[in-house]
Amino acid sequence: MFGDSHADHWSTPLIEAAAKNNYRLVTYLKSSCRASRVTTWNWRLKRDYTECDQWREQSVKDIIALHPHMVVISEFSIGNVMKESPEELKHADGNEEWKTGLRWTLAAFSRAGIKVAVIRDVPYNGSYADKCVARALWRGQVPEVCDTPRDAAANDDIAAAERDVVRSVPGATYVDLTSQFCDAQTCHVFINGQLAFRDRHHLATLFAESLEPLLEKAVF
């Protein structure tokens, strides 16, 4: 598993899925660092986040040397970055640089004969789900007041571009579980009696675990 915290929140169901299929999960994770080869700006450090670039390059080398059966990638999508931290993309030429960076990472593994599965990023909710749902329940409201319209949350255009890049690389597949969060109009934060997110865009662990059968089927 390779990526940032948005890879990490899939680790619980993926560990279970791997064990069921007699695989071992090895993680290469760094908070706020994308698997895609894009240099970002760190607003706290007020400079390029070169540590991410160094980590990514070394991780790709290490993973290729390990030669796993598959690399599973997920990351905070370019669409979500533009919503939350547009300053991170100070040097990025919008979607084109991101697509080039994603293709570079996927191609590195493909050339090494390693399969890749890219999990589409989760929706970006209009509120902090945990606080909003707790407040709604305290007020006697339904959790649905915390939902976000799909066109504001799901980044469907970004996902379509990402899917095209993934499908252009031999041995790479695209895993899209967005239907578990969103219908045609709305993305939900409280699903089947469970809190789906612990903030605006990180999965709640128990809800992520409930998606294990679907993730297993898609990946394995």
mmCIF file of all heavy atoms in Angstrom, residues 58-90:
data_model
loop_
_atom_site.group_PDB
_atom_site.id
_atom_site.type_symbol
_atom_site.label_atom_id
_atom_site.label_comp_id
_atom_site.label_asym_id
_atom_site.label_seq_id
_atom_site.Cartn_x
_atom_site.Cartn_y
_atom_site.Cartn_z
ATOM 1 N N GLN A 58 12.348 7.211 -3.100
ATOM 2 C CA GLN A 58 12.925 6.063 -2.393
ATOM 3 C C GLN A 58 11.915 4.940 -2.245
ATOM 4 O O GLN A 58 12.258 3.759 -2.375
ATOM 5 C CB GLN A 58 13.439 6.494 -1.020
ATOM 6 C CG GLN A 58 14.236 5.409 -0.294
ATOM 7 C CD GLN A 58 15.474 5.007 -1.068
ATOM 8 O OE1 GLN A 58 16.282 5.859 -1.444
ATOM 9 N NE2 GLN A 58 15.629 3.717 -1.320
ATOM 10 N N SER A 59 10.657 5.301 -1.979
ATOM 11 C CA SER A 59 9.622 4.282 -1.821
ATOM 12 C C SER A 59 9.416 3.498 -3.113
ATOM 13 O O SER A 59 9.284 2.269 -3.089
ATOM 14 C CB SER A 59 8.296 4.930 -1.392
ATOM 15 O OG SER A 59 8.400 5.485 -0.108
ATOM 16 N N VAL A 60 9.380 4.199 -4.244
ATOM 17 C CA VAL A 60 9.213 3.509 -5.528
ATOM 18 C C VAL A 60 10.363 2.532 -5.752
ATOM 19 O O VAL A 60 10.158 1.381 -6.166
ATOM 20 C CB VAL A 60 9.108 4.528 -6.681
ATOM 21 C CG1 VAL A 60 9.198 3.824 -8.033
ATOM 22 C CG2 VAL A 60 7.799 5.302 -6.577
ATOM 23 N N LYS A 61 11.581 2.970 -5.464
ATOM 24 C CA LYS A 61 12.741 2.076 -5.615
ATOM 25 C C LYS A 61 12.621 0.863 -4.695
ATOM 26 O O LYS A 61 12.875 -0.276 -5.102
ATOM 27 C CB LYS A 61 14.027 2.836 -5.305
ATOM 28 C CG LYS A 61 14.396 3.894 -6.330
ATOM 29 C CD LYS A 61 15.660 4.640 -5.918
ATOM 30 C CE LYS A 61 15.996 5.739 -6.916
ATOM 31 N NZ LYS A 61 17.205 6.505 -6.486
ATOM 32 N N ASP A 62 12.240 1.114 -3.450
ATOM 33 C CA ASP A 62 12.135 0.014 -2.479
ATOM 34 C C ASP A 62 11.035 -0.965 -2.864
ATOM 35 O O ASP A 62 11.194 -2.183 -2.732
ATOM 36 C CB ASP A 62 11.867 0.571 -1.080
ATOM 37 C CG ASP A 62 13.064 1.299 -0.490
ATOM 38 O OD1 ASP A 62 14.157 1.204 -1.074
ATOM 39 O OD2 ASP A 62 12.892 1.982 0.534
ATOM 40 N N ILE A 63 9.900 -0.440 -3.319
ATOM 41 C CA ILE A 63 8.789 -1.305 -3.698
ATOM 42 C C ILE A 63 9.165 -2.163 -4.905
ATOM 43 O O ILE A 63 8.872 -3.365 -4.949
ATOM 44 C CB ILE A 63 7.528 -0.469 -3.988
ATOM 45 C CG1 ILE A 63 7.010 0.176 -2.692
ATOM 46 C CG2 ILE A 63 6.424 -1.330 -4.605
ATOM 47 C CD1 ILE A 63 5.942 1.238 -2.913
ATOM 48 N N ILE A 64 9.819 -1.552 -5.886
ATOM 49 C CA ILE A 64 10.242 -2.325 -7.057
ATOM 50 C C ILE A 64 11.230 -3.417 -6.652
ATOM 51 O O ILE A 64 11.160 -4.554 -7.136
ATOM 52 C CB ILE A 64 10.842 -1.386 -8.119
ATOM 53 C CG1 ILE A 64 9.734 -0.518 -8.731
ATOM 54 C CG2 ILE A 64 11.570 -2.179 -9.200
ATOM 55 C CD1 ILE A 64 10.239 0.554 -9.680
ATOM 56 N N ALA A 65 12.133 -3.099 -5.741
ATOM 57 C CA ALA A 65 13.085 -4.107 -5.265
ATOM 58 C C ALA A 65 12.371 -5.235 -4.522
ATOM 59 O O ALA A 65 12.763 -6.409 -4.618
ATOM 60 C CB ALA A 65 14.132 -3.446 -4.363
ATOM 61 N N LEU A 66 11.333 -4.892 -3.799
ATOM 62 C CA LEU A 66 10.554 -5.902 -3.067
ATOM 63 C C LEU A 66 9.757 -6.770 -4.030
ATOM 64 O O LEU A 66 9.479 -7.929 -3.748
ATOM 65 C CB LEU A 66 9.613 -5.197 -2.090
ATOM 66 C CG LEU A 66 8.832 -6.043 -1.086
ATOM 67 C CD1 LEU A 66 9.787 -6.769 -0.143
ATOM 68 C CD2 LEU A 66 7.880 -5.157 -0.286
ATOM 69 N N HIS A 67 9.373 -6.214 -5.162
ATOM 70 C CA HIS A 67 8.603 -6.858 -6.225
ATOM 71 C C HIS A 67 7.362 -7.579 -5.688
ATOM 72 O O HIS A 67 7.243 -8.800 -5.763
ATOM 73 C CB HIS A 67 9.460 -7.856 -7.013
ATOM 74 C CG HIS A 67 8.880 -8.139 -8.379
ATOM 75 N ND1 HIS A 67 9.073 -7.305 -9.457
ATOM 76 C CD2 HIS A 67 8.094 -9.147 -8.825
ATOM 77 C CE1 HIS A 67 8.435 -7.788 -10.501
ATOM 78 N NE2 HIS A 67 7.841 -8.907 -10.146
ATOM 79 N N PRO A 68 6.421 -6.820 -5.166
ATOM 80 C CA PRO A 68 5.182 -7.430 -4.651
ATOM 81 C C PRO A 68 4.293 -7.890 -5.797
ATOM 82 O O PRO A 68 4.492 -7.513 -6.961
ATOM 83 C CB PRO A 68 4.529 -6.271 -3.893
ATOM 84 C CG PRO A 68 4.990 -5.047 -4.635
ATOM 85 C CD PRO A 68 6.401 -5.350 -5.062
ATOM 86 N N HIS A 69 3.295 -8.678 -5.463
ATOM 87 C CA HIS A 69 2.308 -9.095 -6.459
ATOM 88 C C HIS A 69 1.528 -7.896 -6.972
ATOM 89 O O HIS A 69 1.199 -7.831 -8.160
ATOM 90 C CB HIS A 69 1.339 -10.108 -5.835
ATOM 91 C CG HIS A 69 0.237 -10.533 -6.762
ATOM 92 N ND1 HIS A 69 0.456 -11.379 -7.817
ATOM 93 C CD2 HIS A 69 -1.075 -10.205 -6.802
ATOM 94 C CE1 HIS A 69 -0.697 -11.572 -8.470
ATOM 95 N NE2 HIS A 69 -1.624 -10.866 -7.874
ATOM 96 N N MET A 70 1.263 -6.938 -6.085
ATOM 97 C CA MET A 70 0.474 -5.775 -6.466
ATOM 98 C C MET A 70 0.799 -4.593 -5.555
ATOM 99 O O MET A 70 1.119 -4.779 -4.379
ATOM 100 C CB MET A 70 -1.027 -6.085 -6.370
ATOM 101 C CG MET A 70 -1.953 -4.905 -6.677
ATOM 102 S SD MET A 70 -3.703 -5.323 -6.506
ATOM 103 C CE MET A 70 -3.916 -6.333 -7.984
ATOM 104 N N VAL A 71 0.698 -3.398 -6.118
ATOM 105 C CA VAL A 71 0.753 -2.166 -5.339
ATOM 106 C C VAL A 71 -0.639 -1.552 -5.350
ATOM 107 O O VAL A 71 -1.243 -1.388 -6.410
ATOM 108 C CB VAL A 71 1.765 -1.160 -5.925
ATOM 109 C CG1 VAL A 71 1.755 0.140 -5.112
ATOM 110 C CG2 VAL A 71 3.160 -1.753 -5.936
ATOM 111 N N VAL A 72 -1.156 -1.217 -4.176
ATOM 112 C CA VAL A 72 -2.442 -0.531 -4.061
ATOM 113 C C VAL A 72 -2.152 0.918 -3.699
ATOM 114 O O VAL A 72 -1.487 1.195 -2.699
ATOM 115 C CB VAL A 72 -3.343 -1.187 -3.001
ATOM 116 C CG1 VAL A 72 -4.671 -0.429 -2.899
ATOM 117 C CG2 VAL A 72 -3.595 -2.648 -3.343
ATOM 118 N N ILE A 73 -2.648 1.825 -4.527
ATOM 119 C CA ILE A 73 -2.406 3.259 -4.351
ATOM 120 C C ILE A 73 -3.716 3.976 -4.068
ATOM 121 O O ILE A 73 -4.737 3.709 -4.702
ATOM 122 C CB ILE A 73 -1.755 3.867 -5.608
ATOM 123 C CG1 ILE A 73 -0.318 3.367 -5.755
ATOM 124 C CG2 ILE A 73 -1.792 5.392 -5.577
ATOM 125 C CD1 ILE A 73 0.345 3.810 -7.050
ATOM 126 N N SER A 74 -3.699 4.871 -3.106
ATOM 127 C CA SER A 74 -4.777 5.831 -2.930
ATOM 128 C C SER A 74 -4.153 7.101 -2.383
ATOM 129 O O SER A 74 -3.113 7.053 -1.706
ATOM 130 C CB SER A 74 -5.858 5.295 -1.983
ATOM 131 O OG SER A 74 -7.019 6.108 -2.050
ATOM 132 N N GLU A 75 -4.775 8.229 -2.691
ATOM 133 C CA GLU A 75 -4.199 9.499 -2.264
ATOM 134 C C GLU A 75 -5.264 10.591 -2.274
ATOM 135 O O GLU A 75 -6.310 10.452 -2.913
ATOM 136 C CB GLU A 75 -3.035 9.898 -3.173
ATOM 137 C CG GLU A 75 -3.418 10.068 -4.631
ATOM 138 C CD GLU A 75 -2.219 10.307 -5.544
ATOM 139 O OE1 GLU A 75 -1.070 10.155 -5.096
ATOM 140 O OE2 GLU A 75 -2.441 10.657 -6.716
ATOM 141 N N PHE A 76 -4.990 11.643 -1.535
ATOM 142 C CA PHE A 76 -5.851 12.827 -1.517
ATOM 143 C C PHE A 76 -5.855 13.396 -2.924
ATOM 144 O O PHE A 76 -4.828 13.852 -3.423
ATOM 145 C CB PHE A 76 -5.283 13.824 -0.507
ATOM 146 C CG PHE A 76 -6.218 14.916 -0.086
ATOM 147 C CD1 PHE A 76 -7.521 14.650 0.288
ATOM 148 C CD2 PHE A 76 -5.773 16.228 -0.025
ATOM 149 C CE1 PHE A 76 -8.376 15.667 0.710
ATOM 150 C CE2 PHE A 76 -6.603 17.251 0.399
ATOM 151 C CZ PHE A 76 -7.914 16.972 0.757
ATOM 152 N N SER A 77 -7.008 13.372 -3.578
ATOM 153 C CA SER A 77 -7.055 13.683 -5.006
ATOM 154 C C SER A 77 -6.746 15.145 -5.282
ATOM 155 O O SER A 77 -6.877 16.014 -4.407
ATOM 156 C CB SER A 77 -8.429 13.337 -5.578
ATOM 157 O OG SER A 77 -9.375 14.337 -5.229
ATOM 158 N N ILE A 78 -6.352 15.402 -6.520
ATOM 159 C CA ILE A 78 -6.051 16.774 -6.920
ATOM 160 C C ILE A 78 -7.276 17.667 -6.742
ATOM 161 O O ILE A 78 -7.159 18.838 -6.378
ATOM 162 C CB ILE A 78 -5.536 16.808 -8.373
ATOM 163 C CG1 ILE A 78 -4.933 18.177 -8.698
ATOM 164 C CG2 ILE A 78 -6.624 16.463 -9.363
ATOM 165 C CD1 ILE A 78 -3.608 18.416 -8.061
ATOM 166 N N GLY A 79 -8.475 17.116 -6.959
ATOM 167 C CA GLY A 79 -9.692 17.902 -6.759
ATOM 168 C C GLY A 79 -9.879 18.302 -5.320
ATOM 169 O O GLY A 79 -10.272 19.431 -5.009
ATOM 170 N N ASN A 80 -9.592 17.378 -4.400
ATOM 171 C CA ASN A 80 -9.717 17.686 -2.984
ATOM 172 C C ASN A 80 -8.641 18.660 -2.519
ATOM 173 O O ASN A 80 -8.887 19.521 -1.673
ATOM 174 C CB ASN A 80 -9.670 16.402 -2.160
ATOM 175 C CG ASN A 80 -10.939 15.592 -2.273
ATOM 176 O OD1 ASN A 80 -11.981 16.111 -2.673
ATOM 177 N ND2 ASN A 80 -10.877 14.323 -1.925
ATOM 178 N N VAL A 81 -7.435 18.501 -3.064
ATOM 179 C CA VAL A 81 -6.365 19.442 -2.716
ATOM 180 C C VAL A 81 -6.762 20.861 -3.104
ATOM 181 O O VAL A 81 -6.573 21.818 -2.350
ATOM 182 C CB VAL A 81 -5.045 19.047 -3.410
ATOM 183 C CG1 VAL A 81 -3.991 20.139 -3.209
ATOM 184 C CG2 VAL A 81 -4.524 17.725 -2.862
ATOM 185 N N MET A 82 -7.355 21.004 -4.286
ATOM 186 C CA MET A 82 -7.752 22.334 -4.751
ATOM 187 C C MET A 82 -8.823 22.948 -3.858
ATOM 188 O O MET A 82 -8.932 24.168 -3.750
ATOM 189 C CB MET A 82 -8.226 22.260 -6.198
ATOM 190 C CG MET A 82 -7.090 22.036 -7.185
ATOM 191 S SD MET A 82 -7.579 22.183 -8.934
ATOM 192 C CE MET A 82 -8.565 20.713 -9.154
ATOM 193 N N LYS A 83 -9.618 22.097 -3.187
ATOM 194 C CA LYS A 83 -10.649 22.607 -2.283
ATOM 195 C C LYS A 83 -10.073 22.983 -0.923
ATOM 196 O O LYS A 83 -10.428 24.011 -0.351
ATOM 197 C CB LYS A 83 -11.729 21.542 -2.092
ATOM 198 C CG LYS A 83 -12.575 21.279 -3.321
ATOM 199 C CD LYS A 83 -13.530 20.117 -3.082
ATOM 200 C CE LYS A 83 -14.320 19.803 -4.347
ATOM 201 N NZ LYS A 83 -15.181 18.612 -4.174
ATOM 202 N N GLU A 84 -9.200 22.133 -0.409
ATOM 203 C CA GLU A 84 -8.721 22.347 0.957
ATOM 204 C C GLU A 84 -7.443 23.165 1.030
ATOM 205 O O GLU A 84 -7.314 24.045 1.879
ATOM 206 C CB GLU A 84 -8.486 20.994 1.653
ATOM 207 C CG GLU A 84 -8.024 21.169 3.093
ATOM 208 C CD GLU A 84 -8.011 19.871 3.867
ATOM 209 O OE1 GLU A 84 -7.034 19.131 3.752
ATOM 210 O OE2 GLU A 84 -8.994 19.599 4.586
ATOM 211 N N SER A 85 -6.476 22.868 0.167
ATOM 212 C CA SER A 85 -5.165 23.517 0.280
ATOM 213 C C SER A 85 -4.626 23.893 -1.087
ATOM 214 O O SER A 85 -3.626 23.337 -1.547
ATOM 215 C CB SER A 85 -4.178 22.561 0.986
ATOM 216 O OG SER A 85 -4.671 22.114 2.218
ATOM 217 N N PRO A 86 -5.271 24.833 -1.778
ATOM 218 C CA PRO A 86 -4.793 25.195 -3.115
ATOM 219 C C PRO A 86 -3.357 25.698 -3.133
ATOM 220 O O PRO A 86 -2.678 25.591 -4.148
ATOM 221 C CB PRO A 86 -5.782 26.283 -3.557
ATOM 222 C CG PRO A 86 -6.400 26.794 -2.290
ATOM 223 C CD PRO A 86 -6.445 25.624 -1.361
ATOM 224 N N GLU A 87 -2.878 26.196 -1.986
ATOM 225 C CA GLU A 87 -1.497 26.681 -1.942
ATOM 226 C C GLU A 87 -0.497 25.539 -2.108
ATOM 227 O O GLU A 87 0.659 25.752 -2.469
ATOM 228 C CB GLU A 87 -1.233 27.425 -0.623
ATOM 229 C CG GLU A 87 -1.237 26.566 0.630
ATOM 230 C CD GLU A 87 -2.647 26.338 1.175
ATOM 231 O OE1 GLU A 87 -3.619 26.786 0.536
ATOM 232 O OE2 GLU A 87 -2.771 25.702 2.223
ATOM 233 N N GLU A 88 -0.922 24.287 -1.853
ATOM 234 C CA GLU A 88 -0.023 23.146 -2.042
ATOM 235 C C GLU A 88 0.403 23.007 -3.497
ATOM 236 O O GLU A 88 1.440 22.429 -3.800
ATOM 237 C CB GLU A 88 -0.700 21.838 -1.602
ATOM 238 C CG GLU A 88 -0.721 21.619 -0.112
ATOM 239 C CD GLU A 88 -1.139 20.197 0.240
ATOM 240 O OE1 GLU A 88 -0.881 19.294 -0.569
ATOM 241 O OE2 GLU A 88 -1.712 19.998 1.313
ATOM 242 N N LEU A 89 -0.423 23.521 -4.410
ATOM 243 C CA LEU A 89 -0.175 23.340 -5.833
ATOM 244 C C LEU A 89 0.499 24.558 -6.450
ATOM 245 O O LEU A 89 0.321 24.843 -7.623
ATOM 246 C CB LEU A 89 -1.495 23.040 -6.547
ATOM 247 C CG LEU A 89 -2.200 21.773 -6.063
ATOM 248 C CD1 LEU A 89 -3.552 21.636 -6.734
ATOM 249 C CD2 LEU A 89 -1.353 20.546 -6.337
ATOM 250 N N LYS A 90 1.288 25.234 -5.663
ATOM 251 C CA LYS A 90 1.926 26.468 -6.116
ATOM 252 C C LYS A 90 2.681 26.278 -7.424
ATOM 253 O O LYS A 90 2.703 27.158 -8.278
ATOM 254 C CB LYS A 90 2.887 26.966 -5.025
ATOM 255 C CG LYS A 90 3.601 28.263 -5.369
ATOM 256 C CD LYS A 90 4.468 28.711 -4.206
ATOM 257 C CE LYS A 90 5.199 29.998 -4.544
ATOM 258 N NZ LYS A 90 6.055 30.454 -3.425
#
